[in-house]
Amino acid sequence: MEKSFIKFFEDSIKQNWDLPAFTDYQGTTLTYADVARKIEKIHIIFEKTGIHKGDKIALIGKNSSTWAVAFIATVSYGAVLVPILQD
């Protein structure tokens, strides 16, 4: 059985809706539901700003739950993620 990378995220979110997904060190915890809502908001921002599938999105920042959400949102939107080291 073949599944896409994005399908794994989608299935995980649906199956674990109320469970913790990401936690920042000594910080907040996001549930899968929180992650899904944040991804949806980022997708809306991409759409409203004219970003299309295949466009490149630069992502810079510390390792954090926010970075992970931005990564998943960009990849699932169909854009190309270009990570930039913060150092």
Side-chain angles (χ1 to χ4, degrees):
M1 178 152 78
E2 205 173 300
K3 281 192 171 183
S4 72
F5 184 64
I6 296 167
K7 183 71 173 149
F8 280 117
F9 283 121
E10 183 181 331
D11 290 346
S12 292
I13 288 170
K14 287 178 182 176
Q15 293 170 6
N16 301 295
W17 189 256
D18 294 319
L19 298 176
F22 299 117
T23 300
D24 289 322
Y25 177 70
Q26 296 182 342
T28 59
T29 297
L30 297 176
T31 65
Y32 282 87
D34 296 331
V35 171
R37 289 181 187 107
K38 288 178 182 290
I39 289 171
E40 182 180 19
K41 287 179 184 179
I42 293 170
H43 284 185
I44 291 168
I45 291 169
F46 286 168
E47 183 180 335
K48 297 288 184 184
T49 57
I51 295 172
H52 303 289
K53 290 183 179 185
D55 286 352
K56 294 180 180 95
I57 304 290
L59 180 57
I60 186 170
K62 295 180 184 179
N63 289 342
S64 67
S65 59
T66 305
W67 193 97
V69 170
F71 171 86
I72 296 168
T74 303
V75 171
S76 63
Y77 188 75
V80 177
L81 185 80
V82 181
I84 299 173
L85 295 174
Q86 67 172 9
D87 300 334

